[in-house]
Coordinates of all heavy atoms in Angstrom, one line a residue:
C24 N -13.9 -2.6 -6.7 CA -14.2 -3.0 -5.3 C -15.7 -3.4 -5.2 O -16.5 -3.0 -6.1 CB -14.0 -1.8 -4.3 SG -12.2 -1.3 -4.3
N25 N -16.0 -4.2 -4.2 CA -17.4 -4.6 -4.0 C -18.0 -4.1 -2.7 O -19.2 -4.3 -2.5 CB -17.6 -6.1 -4.2 CG -16.7 -6.9 -3.3 OD1 -15.9 -6.4 -2.5 ND2 -16.9 -8.2 -3.4
I26 N -17.2 -3.5 -1.8 CA -17.7 -3.0 -0.5 C -17.0 -1.7 -0.2 O -15.8 -1.5 -0.6 CB -17.4 -4.0 0.6 CG1 -18.3 -5.2 0.4 CG2 -17.6 -3.4 2.0 CD1 -18.0 -6.3 1.4
F27 N -17.7 -0.7 0.4 CA -17.1 0.5 0.9 C -17.6 0.6 2.4 O -18.6 0.1 2.8 CB -17.4 1.7 0.1 CG -18.6 2.4 0.4 CD1 -18.7 3.4 1.3 CD2 -19.8 2.1 -0.3 CE1 -19.9 4.1 1.6 CE2 -21.0 2.8 0.0 CZ -21.0 3.8 0.9
A28 N -16.8 1.3 3.1 CA -17.2 1.6 4.5 C -16.8 3.0 4.9 O -16.0 3.6 4.3 CB -16.4 0.6 5.4
F29 N -17.4 3.5 6.0 CA -17.0 4.7 6.6 C -17.2 4.6 8.1 O -17.8 3.6 8.6 CB -17.8 5.9 6.1 CG -19.3 5.9 6.2 CD1 -19.9 5.9 7.4 CD2 -20.1 5.9 5.1 CE1 -21.3 5.9 7.6 CE2 -21.4 6.0 5.2 CZ -22.0 5.9 6.4
V30 N -16.6 5.6 8.8 CA -16.5 5.5 10.3 C -17.2 6.6 11.0 O -17.2 7.8 10.5 CB -15.0 5.5 10.7 CG1 -14.8 5.5 12.2 CG2 -14.2 4.4 10.0
E31 N -17.8 6.3 12.1 CA -18.4 7.3 13.0 C -17.7 7.1 14.3 O -18.1 6.1 15.0 CB -19.9 7.2 13.1 CG -20.7 8.1 12.3 CD -20.4 9.6 12.5 OE1 -20.4 10.1 13.6 OE2 -20.2 10.2 11.5
N32 N -16.8 7.9 14.7 CA -16.0 7.7 15.9 C -16.8 8.2 17.1 O -17.3 9.3 17.2 CB -14.7 8.6 15.8 CG -13.7 8.2 16.8 OD1 -14.1 7.8 17.9 ND2 -12.4 8.5 16.5
R33 N -17.0 7.3 18.0 CA -17.9 7.5 19.2 C -17.4 8.6 20.1 O -18.1 9.4 20.7 CB -18.2 6.3 19.9 CG -18.9 5.2 19.1 CD -19.0 3.9 19.8 NE -20.2 3.9 20.7 CZ -20.5 2.9 21.5 NH1 -19.7 1.9 21.6 NH2 -21.5 3.0 22.3
Q34 N -16.0 8.8 20.1 CA -15.5 9.8 21.0 C -15.7 11.2 20.5 O -15.6 12.2 21.2 CB -14.0 9.6 21.3 CG -13.1 9.8 20.1 CD -11.7 9.4 20.3 OE1 -11.3 8.8 21.3 NE2 -10.8 9.8 19.4
M35 N -16.1 11.3 19.2 CA -16.4 12.6 18.6 C -17.8 13.0 18.7 O -18.2 14.1 18.3 CB -15.9 12.6 17.1 CG -14.5 12.2 16.8 SD -13.3 13.2 17.7 CE -13.3 14.6 16.5
M36 N -18.6 12.0 19.1 CA -20.1 12.3 19.2 C -20.4 13.0 20.5 O -20.1 12.5 21.6 CB -20.9 10.9 19.2 CG -20.7 10.2 17.9 SD -21.7 8.6 18.1 CE -21.4 7.9 16.5
E37 N -21.1 14.2 20.4 CA -21.5 14.9 21.5 C -22.7 14.1 22.2 O -22.6 13.9 23.4 CB -22.0 16.3 21.1 CG -21.9 17.3 22.2 CD -22.0 18.7 21.7 OE1 -21.2 19.1 20.8 OE2 -23.0 19.4 22.2
I38 N -23.7 13.8 21.4 CA -24.9 13.0 21.9 C -25.0 11.9 20.9 O -25.5 12.1 19.8 CB -26.1 13.9 22.0 CG1 -25.9 15.1 22.9 CG2 -27.3 13.1 22.5 CD1 -27.0 16.2 22.9
E39 N -24.6 10.7 21.4 CA -24.6 9.6 20.5 C -25.9 9.2 19.8 O -25.9 9.0 18.5 CB -24.1 8.3 21.2 CG -23.8 7.2 20.3 CD -23.0 6.0 21.0 OE1 -22.2 6.3 21.9 OE2 -23.3 4.9 20.6
D40 N -27.0 9.2 20.5 CA -28.3 8.9 19.9 C -28.6 9.9 18.8 O -29.2 9.5 17.7 CB -29.4 8.9 20.9 CG -29.3 7.7 21.8 OD1 -28.6 6.7 21.5 OD2 -29.9 7.7 22.9
E41 N -28.4 11.2 19.0 CA -28.7 12.2 18.0 C -27.8 12.1 16.8 O -28.3 12.2 15.6 CB -28.5 13.6 18.6 CG -29.6 14.0 19.5 CD -29.4 15.4 20.1 OE1 -28.6 16.2 19.6 OE2 -30.1 15.7 21.1
R42 N -26.5 11.8 17.0 CA -25.6 11.6 15.8 C -26.0 10.4 15.0 O -26.0 10.4 13.8 CB -24.1 11.5 16.3 CG -23.1 11.4 15.2 CD -23.1 12.6 14.3 NE -22.2 12.4 13.2 CZ -21.9 13.2 12.3 NH1 -22.6 14.4 12.2 NH2 -21.0 12.9 11.3
L43 N -26.3 9.3 15.7 CA -26.7 8.1 15.0 C -28.0 8.3 14.2 O -28.2 7.8 13.1 CB -26.8 6.9 15.9 CG -25.5 6.4 16.4 CD1 -25.7 5.3 17.4 CD2 -24.6 5.9 15.3
A44 N -28.9 9.1 14.8 CA -30.2 9.5 14.1 C -29.9 10.3 12.8 O -30.4 10.1 11.7 CB -31.1 10.2 15.0
Y45 N -28.9 11.2 12.9 CA -28.4 12.0 11.8 C -27.9 11.1 10.7 O -28.2 11.2 9.5 CB -27.4 13.0 12.2 CG -26.7 13.7 11.1 CD1 -27.4 14.8 10.4 CD2 -25.5 13.4 10.6 CE1 -26.8 15.4 9.3 CE2 -24.8 14.0 9.6 CZ -25.5 15.0 8.9 OH -24.9 15.6 7.9
I46 N -27.0 10.1 11.1 CA -26.4 9.2 10.1 C -27.5 8.3 9.5 O -27.5 8.1 8.3 CB -25.4 8.3 10.8 CG1 -24.2 9.1 11.3 CG2 -24.9 7.2 9.9 CD1 -23.5 10.0 10.3
D47 N -28.5 7.9 10.2 CA -29.6 7.2 9.7 C -30.3 8.0 8.6 O -30.7 7.4 7.5 CB -30.6 6.8 10.7 CG -30.2 5.6 11.6 OD1 -29.2 4.9 11.2 OD2 -30.7 5.4 12.7
I48 N -30.5 9.3 8.8 CA -31.1 10.1 7.8 C -30.2 10.2 6.6 O -30.6 10.1 5.4 CB -31.5 11.5 8.3 CG1 -32.6 11.4 9.4 CG2 -31.9 12.5 7.3 CD1 -32.8 12.6 10.3
L49 N -28.9 10.4 6.8 CA -27.9 10.6 5.8 C -27.9 9.4 4.8 O -27.9 9.5 3.6 CB -26.5 10.8 6.4 CG -25.4 10.9 5.4 CD1 -25.4 12.3 4.7 CD2 -24.1 10.7 6.1
I50 N -27.9 8.2 5.4 CA -27.8 6.9 4.6 C -29.1 6.4 4.2 O -29.1 5.3 3.5 CB -27.0 5.9 5.4 CG1 -27.7 5.4 6.6 CG2 -25.6 6.4 5.7 CD1 -27.1 4.1 7.3
A51 N -30.2 7.0 4.5 CA -31.6 6.5 4.1 C -31.6 6.1 2.6 O -32.2 5.1 2.3 CB -32.7 7.5 4.5
P52 N -31.1 6.9 1.7 CA -31.1 6.6 0.3 C -30.4 5.3 -0.1 O -30.6 4.7 -1.1 CB -30.5 7.7 -0.5 CG -30.5 8.9 0.5 CD -30.4 8.2 1.9
I53 N -29.4 4.8 0.8 CA -28.7 3.6 0.5 C -28.8 2.6 1.6 O -28.0 1.6 1.6 CB -27.2 4.0 0.2 CG1 -26.5 4.6 1.5 CG2 -27.0 4.8 -1.0 CD1 -25.0 4.7 1.4
E54 N -29.8 2.8 2.5 CA -29.9 1.9 3.6 C -30.1 0.4 3.2 O -29.5 -0.5 3.9 CB -31.1 2.3 4.5 CG -31.3 1.5 5.7 CD -32.5 2.0 6.6 OE1 -33.3 2.7 6.0 OE2 -32.5 1.6 7.7
E55 N -30.7 0.1 2.1 CA -30.9 -1.2 1.7 C -29.6 -1.9 1.3 O -29.5 -3.1 1.1 CB -32.0 -1.3 0.6 CG -31.5 -0.7 -0.7 CD -32.6 -0.7 -1.8 OE1 -33.6 0.1 -1.5 OE2 -32.5 -1.4 -2.8
H56 N -28.6 -1.1 1.1 CA -27.3 -1.6 0.6 C -26.3 -1.8 1.8 O -25.2 -2.2 1.6 CB -26.6 -0.7 -0.4 CG -27.6 -0.5 -1.6 ND1 -27.7 -1.4 -2.6 CD2 -28.4 0.5 -1.9 CE1 -28.6 -1.0 -3.5 NE2 -29.0 0.2 -3.1
L57 N -26.8 -1.4 3.0 CA -26.0 -1.6 4.3 C -25.8 -3.1 4.5 O -26.8 -3.8 4.6 CB -26.7 -0.9 5.4 CG -26.0 -1.1 6.8 CD1 -24.7 -0.3 6.8 CD2 -26.9 -0.5 7.9
I58 N -24.6 -3.5 4.6 CA -24.3 -4.9 4.9 C -24.3 -5.1 6.4 O -24.9 -6.0 7.0 CB -22.9 -5.3 4.3 CG1 -23.0 -5.2 2.8 CG2 -22.5 -6.7 4.8 CD1 -21.6 -5.3 2.1
E59 N -23.5 -4.2 7.2 CA -23.5 -4.3 8.6 C -22.9 -3.1 9.2 O -22.2 -2.3 8.5 CB -22.7 -5.5 9.1 CG -21.2 -5.5 8.8 CD -20.5 -6.7 9.3 OE1 -20.9 -7.2 10.4 OE2 -19.6 -7.2 8.6
R60 N -23.2 -2.9 10.5 CA -22.7 -1.8 11.3 C -22.0 -2.4 12.5 O -22.6 -3.1 13.2 CB -23.8 -0.8 11.8 CG -23.2 0.3 12.6 CD -24.3 1.2 13.0 NE -24.9 0.7 14.3 CZ -25.8 1.3 15.0 NH1 -26.4 2.4 14.6 NH2 -26.3 0.8 16.1
K61 N -20.7 -2.3 12.5 CA -19.9 -2.9 13.6 C -19.3 -1.9 14.5 O -18.9 -0.8 14.1 CB -18.8 -3.8 13.0 CG -19.2 -5.0 12.2 CD -18.2 -5.6 11.4 CE -17.0 -6.2 12.1 NZ -16.1 -7.0 11.3
I62 N -19.1 -2.3 15.8 CA -18.4 -1.5 16.7 C -17.0 -2.0 16.7 O -16.7 -3.2 17.0 CB -19.0 -1.5 18.1 CG1 -20.4 -0.9 18.1 CG2 -18.1 -0.8 19.1 CD1 -21.2 -0.9 19.4
Q63 N -16.0 -1.1 16.4 CA -14.6 -1.5 16.3 C -13.7 -0.6 17.0 O -14.0 0.6 17.2 CB -14.2 -1.6 14.8 CG -15.0 -2.6 14.0 CD -14.6 -2.6 12.5 OE1 -15.5 -2.9 11.7 NE2 -13.4 -2.2 12.1
Q64 N -12.5 -1.1 17.4 CA -11.5 -0.2 18.0 C -10.4 0.1 17.0 O -9.7 1.1 17.2 CB -10.9 -1.0 19.2 CG -11.1 -0.2 20.5 CD -10.4 -0.9 21.6 OE1 -10.4 -2.1 21.8 NE2 -9.8 -0.1 22.5
E65 N -10.4 -0.6 15.9 CA -9.4 -0.2 14.9 C -10.0 -0.5 13.5 O -10.8 -1.4 13.3 CB -8.1 -0.9 15.1 CG -8.1 -2.4 15.0 CD -6.8 -3.0 15.3 OE1 -5.9 -3.2 14.3 OE2 -6.5 -3.4 16.5
W66 N -9.4 0.2 12.5 CA -9.7 0.0 11.1 C -8.4 0.3 10.4 O -7.4 0.6 11.0 CB -10.9 0.7 10.6 CG -10.9 2.2 11.0 CD1 -10.5 3.2 10.1 CD2 -11.3 2.8 12.2 NE1 -10.7 4.4 10.8 CE2 -11.1 4.2 12.1 CE3 -11.8 2.3 13.4 CZ2 -11.4 5.1 13.1 CZ3 -12.0 3.2 14.4 CH2 -11.9 4.6 14.2
E67 N -8.4 0.3 9.1 CA -7.2 0.4 8.3 C -6.2 1.5 8.7 O -5.0 1.4 8.7 CB -7.5 0.4 6.8 CG -7.6 -0.9 6.1 CD -8.8 -1.7 6.6 OE1 -9.8 -1.2 7.0 OE2 -8.6 -2.9 6.6
T68 N -6.7 2.7 9.0 CA -5.9 3.9 9.2 C -5.8 4.3 10.7 O -5.1 5.2 11.0 CB -6.3 5.1 8.4 OG1 -7.7 5.4 8.7 CG2 -6.2 4.8 6.9
T69 N -6.5 3.7 11.6 CA -6.6 4.1 12.9 C -6.7 3.0 13.9 O -7.4 2.0 13.6 CB -7.9 5.0 13.1 OG1 -7.8 6.1 12.1 CG2 -8.0 5.6 14.5
K70 N -6.1 3.2 15.1 CA -6.2 2.2 16.2 C -6.5 3.0 17.4 O -5.7 3.8 17.9 CB -4.9 1.4 16.3 CG -5.1 0.3 17.4 CD -3.8 -0.6 17.4 CE -4.1 -1.8 18.1 NZ -3.0 -2.7 18.0

Side-chain angles (χ1 to χ4, degrees):
C24 299
N25 56 357
I26 291 174
F27 85 91
F29 59 64
V30 177
E31 262 305 307
N32 193 332
R33 295 172 86 186
Q34 69 186 12
M35 306 301 279
M36 294 179 180
E37 206 169 300
I38 301 170
E39 188 168 326
D40 290 343
E41 286 181 14
R42 181 62 182 179
L43 289 176
Y45 170 79
I46 297 301
D47 285 345
I48 293 166
L49 178 76
I50 67 171
I53 60 168
E54 185 177 16
E55 68 188 68
H56 306 281
L57 178 67
I58 297 167
E59 66 179 325
R60 181 181 84 177
K61 292 168 64 173
I62 295 176
Q63 296 177 210
Q64 242 182 320
E65 65 181 273
W66 52 97
E67 273 63 33
T68 59
T69 304
K70 186 174 194 173

